Amino acid sequence: MKKVSKKILAVLAVIVLLGIYYYAALPAINIHSTEFWIFLVILAAAAALIYIRKKKLNRYEMKESKGLKSILGVLVLIIVVYLLGSLLSSPIVNAKKYQQLMNVETGEFTKDIEELSFDQIPLLDRDSATLLGNRKMGSMVDMVSQFEVDELYSQINYQDRPVRVSPLKYASVIKWFTNQDEGIPAYIKIDMATQNTELVKLEKGMKYTTSDHFNRNIYRHLRFKYPTYIFDNLSFEVDEEGTPYWVCPVKKYNIGLFGGVTVDRVVLCNAVTGETIDYKVKDVPQWVDRVYSADLLVQLYDYYGTLKHGYFNSVLGQKDCLATTDGYNYLAINDDVWVYTGVTSITGDQSNVGFVLMNQRTMETKFYGVEGATEASAMSSAEGQVQNLKYVATFPLLLNISGEPTYFIALKDDAGLVKKYAMVNVQKYQIVAIGDTVSECESVYTDLMYENGIKEKEKDTREVQTITAPITKIAQGVVDGNSHYYVMVEGSDAIFDVSVVDFIDIIRYNVGDEVTIEYKEGEKSNTVMSLNGVKNKADLQNSDTANE
């Protein structure tokens, strides 16, 4: 009876230990999961140890024991299958399959990438957003002692604005213990264009996060609901109503046991309630921006670019091998977030052969064959313009400026604050414009393009027209530091723009004075080409009478 009890206790102990391991490590019960094979190795090793202990085998008996040999045989088989599966899943023997994982189309730059208004250009990188988020959190006296900002800072489109969002997290285990009933009360939202930083407070706190413990930890919560799913990196997003969600991509292995990773499904988990919805990728709601991580997309494109002529060519000869440059950024196009990165030849990385845009929701990928400077070269050019200030360039954002592919770069000081902006022409990276504001930078850049023959001023084909009439209204304004008078005359609803620099005599005229204006029609106001006039006739008659 005692022996039976000991056996039962031994079995229960093993089950408990394996349960603890599963609860802590959370391996997916899936043959494509490396953690699952590690779990099997641990299970077989534990079985061998228990068998040795149970049979009280000495060193000689262990060599002769058929039971132990069987268990060790299973252990070796598991390891061999794992190693063989890894080899047969690798690009070494599946180069063509890896190369075809991503479908790449050829795009048209000026058609696909529209010119953005300045209030839609993301001016901040992730580091700057983190700095602003931490400062905002530091000003929240009622929360700063209990919570910190998570490091996630996912970039999304929120109500047609480029923003980064990140949840708060418990400052420590003790703070979790004292606040877990209410949950995490808010998340940080940063507008990447205006730099406006907001702490968004929730009606009900988030109870399923990365900083929660036990069954409310988001990873454990997902594992118990989907024990066979192998999740990629989770991202934090909010829907158009501001409800916080965890976007949880499910990996799909397309080549062998462990190779050719893409995304097959997406689980959305409400961070407040823990409710989950399982979608196929094609059915994911439009507001979701990040199904494919930037790193996964870059890796898939590298497979596409380097494995055209097989694995060994990618390592040795490297004929026709293209690869992405170091670093990437994000573009918001048609309510989706696209990953941007340059493409260069492996054998010569001093310039880019083009760039690629990859949709984080659909994996749609477009290549643009625009030769020019690498991002690193553009960053060096921008830093060279302000080398006396020792500003550091952020990774560029690719913009369409007047039909020209242009690197847009923020320049930061030692404290991580954005001080200036730079625009660098992709094809002629010696053309660098610097400005304190985006509009000033764009104005300087446009002038440089005219000066260097990249852009030609359109011929003015408007006809010169003439009008003679008394002035009915006159107002003054300043445009780019120059004074202008805006005039309206009797019998016309048009506004005539008179530059004081060109026509200084305009300051002599008042309402009622008759003028002759030669002008060209404009969209908002007419451009004055010449200005002649006589004083108000009544004033002239009074003046003549006084002289007599």
Side-chain angles (χ1 to χ4, degrees):
M1 188 69 182
K2 289 183 178 180
K3 290 183 178 180
V4 174
S5 299
K6 287 182 178 180
K7 289 180 180 180
I8 294 174
L9 289 174
V11 171
L12 290 175
V14 171
I15 293 173
V16 169
L17 289 174
L18 290 175
I20 293 172
Y21 172 81
Y22 181 81
Y23 192 82
L26 300 174
I29 304 174
N30 190 313
I31 61 171
H32 297 292
S33 170
T34 298
E35 290 78 8
F36 177 69
W37 289 89
I38 294 173
F39 181 74
L40 291 181
V41 168
I42 293 173
L43 185 62
L49 291 173
I50 292 170
Y51 185 84
I52 292 170
R53 185 176 180 83
K54 177 184 176 183
K55 297 294 185 179
K56 297 180 180 180
L57 301 177
N58 56 37
R59 186 176 300 178
Y60 174 78
E61 290 172 331
M62 282 192 286
K63 293 180 180 180
E64 300 297 326
S65 174
K66 292 182 179 180
L68 182 59
K69 286 181 179 180
S70 298
I71 296 172
L72 294 178
V74 173
L75 177 60
V76 171
L77 180 63
I78 292 171
I79 295 173
V80 168
V81 171
Y82 174 77
L83 295 177
L84 190 61
S86 297
L87 176 62
L88 296 178
S89 304
S90 71
I92 298 175
V93 293
N94 295 284
K96 186 176 181 180
K97 291 182 179 179
Y98 272 88
Q99 200 268 338
Q100 295 175 347
L101 285 172
M102 173 178 276
N103 180 40
V104 180
E105 302 174 358
T106 299
E108 185 178 340
F109 178 77
T110 53
K111 180 180 178 181
D112 295 342
I113 305 176
E114 298 179 355
E115 294 190 49
L116 296 176
S117 60
F118 294 150
D119 65 344
Q120 292 180 311
I121 298 175
L123 305 179
L124 303 173
D125 61 0
R126 187 181 182 281
D127 291 339
S128 297
T130 300
L131 186 65
L132 290 176
N134 290 338
R135 287 185 175 179
K136 183 67 176 180
M137 191 64 206
S139 66
M140 306 304 293
V141 180
D142 57 331
M143 294 186 187
V144 70
S145 64
Q146 303 297 310
F147 303 97
E148 299 173 351
V149 186
D150 205 312
E151 299 82 11
L152 293 173
Y153 286 100
S154 306
Q155 180 155 335
I156 63 172
N157 280 351
Y158 175 69
Q159 298 180 351
D160 295 326
R161 300 292 303 172
V163 304
R164 283 188 183 267
V165 289
S166 192
L168 303 186
K169 65 179 182 179
Y170 298 105
S172 66
V173 175
I174 300 299
K175 303 300 171 60
W176 167 78
F177 187 78
T178 56
N179 291 280
Q180 60 167 319
D181 289 342
E182 292 77 24
I184 293 175
Y187 60 87
I188 291 285
K189 182 179 71 178
I190 302 173
D191 191 307
M192 302 297 285
T194 64
Q195 304 186 38
N196 180 53
T197 305
E198 181 183 357
L199 183 76
V200 181
K201 295 185 178 180
L202 301 166
E203 291 184 8
K204 294 183 179 180
M206 292 180 281
K207 297 185 178 181
Y208 296 86
T209 68
T210 57
S211 63
D212 270 281
H213 298 276
F214 302 113
N215 288 6
R216 272 177 30 185
N217 178 274
I218 184 61
Y219 298 107
R220 191 164 288 113
H221 178 67
L222 290 170
R223 173 57 61 233
F224 290 163
K225 281 205 166 189
Y226 305 96
T228 63
Y229 281 9
I230 305 172
F231 291 101
D232 198 2
N233 295 329
L234 310 187
S235 65
F236 179 81
E237 297 192 28
V238 298
D239 65 12
E240 295 302 300
E241 287 73 43
T243 304
Y245 281 88
W246 292 101
V247 178
C248 318
V250 181
K251 290 182 179 181
K252 178 184 179 182
Y253 291 81
N254 298 278
I255 303 171
L257 279 178
F258 310 113
V261 176
T262 56
V263 176
D264 181 43
R265 311 187 66 83
V266 177
V267 174
L268 298 185
C269 179
N270 187 307
V272 176
T273 65
E275 294 177 357
T276 60
I277 307 177
D278 187 5
Y279 292 98
K280 291 183 177 180
V281 168
K282 63 183 179 67
D283 298 326
V284 170
Q286 182 69 37
W287 62 264
V288 175
D289 290 312
R290 185 188 176 279
V291 172
Y292 296 84
S293 69
D295 290 332
L296 176 58
L297 291 173
V298 167
Q299 183 184 59
L300 290 173
Y301 187 84
D302 283 340
Y303 288 146
Y304 171 84
T306 59
L307 298 175
K308 293 179 181 178
H309 302 300
Y311 175 79
F312 291 104
N313 176 72
S314 71
V315 177
L316 301 175
Q318 298 184 328
K319 178 185 176 182
D320 298 332
C321 287
L322 301 176
T324 55
T325 52
D326 293 332
Y328 50 78
N329 214 325
Y330 301 94
L331 278 177
I333 304 175
N334 298 330
D335 199 32
D336 279 330
V337 175
W338 296 66
V339 177
Y340 150 77
T341 187
V343 177
T344 185
S345 172
I346 289 182
T347 56
D349 59 356
Q350 297 304 309
S351 62
N352 284 351
V353 299
F355 59 89
V356 66
L357 291 179
M358 299 169 285
N359 190 309
Q360 285 199 280
R361 185 172 61 85
T362 65
M363 203 176 81
E364 180 184 356
T365 302
K366 294 185 178 182
F367 172 78
Y368 301 84
V370 180
E371 296 183 2
T374 62
E375 294 88 345
S377 298
M379 292 164 69
S380 297
S381 293
E383 290 174 350
Q385 295 292 312
V386 290
Q387 57 183 335
N388 58 313
L389 300 172
K390 298 181 179 180
Y391 290 161
V392 177
T394 61
F395 192 84
L397 182 69
L398 187 74
L399 297 181
N400 178 354
I401 304 294
S402 301
E404 282 291 314
T406 302
Y407 289 130
F408 176 76
I409 301 170
L411 295 163
K412 302 192 295 186
D413 61 12
D414 292 339
L417 299 176
V418 176
K419 292 297 185 181
K420 290 182 179 292
Y421 304 97
M423 290 184 181
V424 182
N425 190 273
V426 171
Q427 295 173 301
K428 295 184 179 180
Y429 67 96
Q430 67 274 19
I431 298 177
V432 183
I434 303 291
D436 292 328
T437 64
V438 181
S439 57
E440 179 185 336
C441 183
E442 193 268 345
S443 178
V444 174
Y445 181 66
T446 301
D447 291 341
L448 288 173
M449 286 196 291
Y450 283 133
E451 293 173 11
N452 288 272
I454 295 176
K455 186 177 179 181
E456 294 183 359
K457 292 184 178 180
E458 297 180 2
K459 291 183 179 180
D460 192 345
T461 58
R462 295 176 297 172
E463 293 183 1
V464 177
Q465 302 182 51
T466 303
I467 188 171
T468 300
I471 296 173
T472 58
K473 186 178 292 186
I474 187 168
Q476 187 178 4
V478 178
V479 180
D480 294 333
N482 297 318
S483 293
H484 287 243
Y485 275 80
Y486 297 94
V487 175
M488 297 185 71
V489 298
E490 189 176 293
S492 174
D493 292 330
I495 299 173
F496 299 90
D497 182 359
V498 184
S499 170
V500 175
V501 175
D502 297 325
F503 306 105
I504 187 66
D505 283 348
I506 185 63
I507 66 175
R508 301 178 186 274
Y509 301 125
N510 296 304
V511 173
D513 292 342
E514 187 174 275
V515 291
T516 299
I517 299 174
E518 291 186 343
Y519 66 93
K520 290 184 176 181
E521 287 187 351
E523 186 176 344
K524 294 183 178 180
S525 62
N526 296 332
T527 304
V528 173
M529 310 303 294
S530 70
L531 176 71
N532 294 290
V534 295
K535 295 289 288 181
N536 185 291
K537 292 181 179 179
D539 291 340
L540 289 175
Q541 290 174 356
N542 292 336
S543 177
D544 291 340
T545 302
N547 289 333
E548 292 175 358

